[in-house]
Amino acid sequence: METIAQELGKFVSGLTVNDLPRDVTAKAKSCLLYGLSIAMAAHDSRQGQMAEAAVIESETVPQGGSTTILSARRTTPGAAAFANG
Protein backbone atom coordinates (compact mmCIF):
# COMPACT_ATOMS: atom_id res chain seq x y z
CA MET A 1 0.00 0.00 0.00
CA GLU A 2 1.35 3.41 -0.98
CA THR A 3 1.53 6.30 1.43
CA ILE A 4 -0.24 9.56 0.69
CA ALA A 5 3.14 11.16 -0.01
CA GLN A 6 3.98 8.47 -2.56
CA GLU A 7 0.61 8.84 -4.28
CA LEU A 8 1.01 12.61 -4.38
CA GLY A 9 4.56 12.27 -5.70
CA LYS A 10 3.40 10.01 -8.53
CA PHE A 11 0.58 12.37 -9.42
CA VAL A 12 2.75 15.49 -9.42
CA SER A 13 5.65 13.87 -11.29
CA GLY A 14 3.31 13.08 -14.16
CA LEU A 15 1.83 16.57 -14.45
CA THR A 16 2.64 19.10 -17.12
CA VAL A 17 1.53 22.72 -17.24
CA ASN A 18 -0.85 21.82 -20.06
CA ASP A 19 -2.65 19.36 -17.76
CA LEU A 20 -3.66 22.14 -15.36
CA PRO A 21 -6.73 24.34 -15.71
CA ARG A 22 -5.99 27.96 -16.62
CA ASP A 23 -7.26 29.28 -13.29
CA VAL A 24 -4.81 27.00 -11.43
CA THR A 25 -1.91 28.19 -13.57
CA ALA A 26 -2.96 31.82 -13.07
CA LYS A 27 -3.14 31.33 -9.30
CA ALA A 28 0.31 29.69 -9.22
CA LYS A 29 1.79 32.61 -11.16
CA SER A 30 0.09 35.07 -8.82
CA CYS A 31 1.47 33.30 -5.74
CA LEU A 32 4.97 33.22 -7.21
CA LEU A 33 4.89 36.95 -8.00
CA TYR A 34 3.54 37.70 -4.52
CA GLY A 35 6.34 35.71 -2.89
CA LEU A 36 9.00 37.42 -4.99
CA SER A 37 7.60 40.87 -4.22
CA ILE A 38 7.62 40.12 -0.49
CA ALA A 39 11.24 38.95 -0.81
CA MET A 40 12.17 42.16 -2.61
CA ALA A 41 10.42 44.30 0.00
CA ALA A 42 12.18 42.45 2.85
CA HIS A 43 15.57 42.41 1.14
CA ASP A 44 17.09 45.07 3.41
CA SER A 45 15.29 44.00 6.59
CA ARG A 46 17.30 43.10 9.66
CA GLN A 47 15.26 39.92 10.14
CA GLY A 48 16.15 38.69 6.65
CA GLN A 49 19.82 39.39 7.19
CA MET A 50 19.77 37.58 10.54
CA ALA A 51 18.00 34.55 9.08
CA GLU A 52 20.48 34.29 6.23
CA ALA A 53 23.49 34.79 8.52
CA ALA A 54 22.25 31.98 10.76
CA VAL A 55 22.04 29.45 7.95
CA ILE A 56 25.18 30.54 6.11
CA GLU A 57 27.25 29.99 9.21
CA SER A 58 26.40 26.31 9.40
CA GLU A 59 24.78 25.17 6.15
CA THR A 60 26.75 26.62 3.23
CA VAL A 61 27.58 24.10 0.50
CA PRO A 62 30.42 24.51 -2.02
CA GLN A 63 28.42 23.17 -4.98
CA GLY A 64 24.82 22.36 -5.71
CA GLY A 65 22.29 23.07 -3.00
CA SER A 66 19.86 25.97 -3.18
CA THR A 67 20.31 29.72 -3.43
CA THR A 68 19.43 32.36 -0.85
CA ILE A 69 17.63 35.37 -2.31
CA LEU A 70 19.48 37.95 -0.24
CA SER A 71 23.06 37.25 -1.31
CA ALA A 72 22.85 34.31 -3.74
CA ARG A 73 24.85 32.06 -1.40
CA ARG A 74 24.51 28.30 -1.87
CA THR A 75 23.12 26.39 1.10
CA THR A 76 21.20 23.23 1.80
CA PRO A 77 17.62 23.35 0.46
CA GLY A 78 16.11 23.54 3.95
CA ALA A 79 18.43 26.36 4.98
CA ALA A 80 17.63 28.32 1.81
CA ALA A 81 13.91 27.85 2.43
CA PHE A 82 14.33 29.20 5.95
CA ALA A 83 16.46 32.19 4.89
CA ASN A 84 14.23 33.01 1.95
CA GLY A 85 11.08 32.73 4.04
Side-chain angles (χ1 to χ4, degrees), residues 25-84:
T25 305
K27 184 66 171 181
K29 289 178 182 180
S30 175
C31 290
L32 178 62
L33 288 174
Y34 176 76
L36 289 173
S37 62
I38 293 297
M40 289 170 49
H43 186 269
D44 293 327
S45 74
R46 179 140 169 79
Q47 293 89 345
Q49 293 168 358
M50 289 169 54
E52 187 182 66
V55 299
I56 287 174
E57 189 172 314
S58 62
E59 304 223 23
T60 301
V61 293
Q63 292 180 316
S66 298
T67 306
T68 63
I69 293 173
L70 194 60
S71 67
R73 295 266 181 90
R74 307 296 283 177
T75 66
T76 61
F82 175 79
N84 294 338

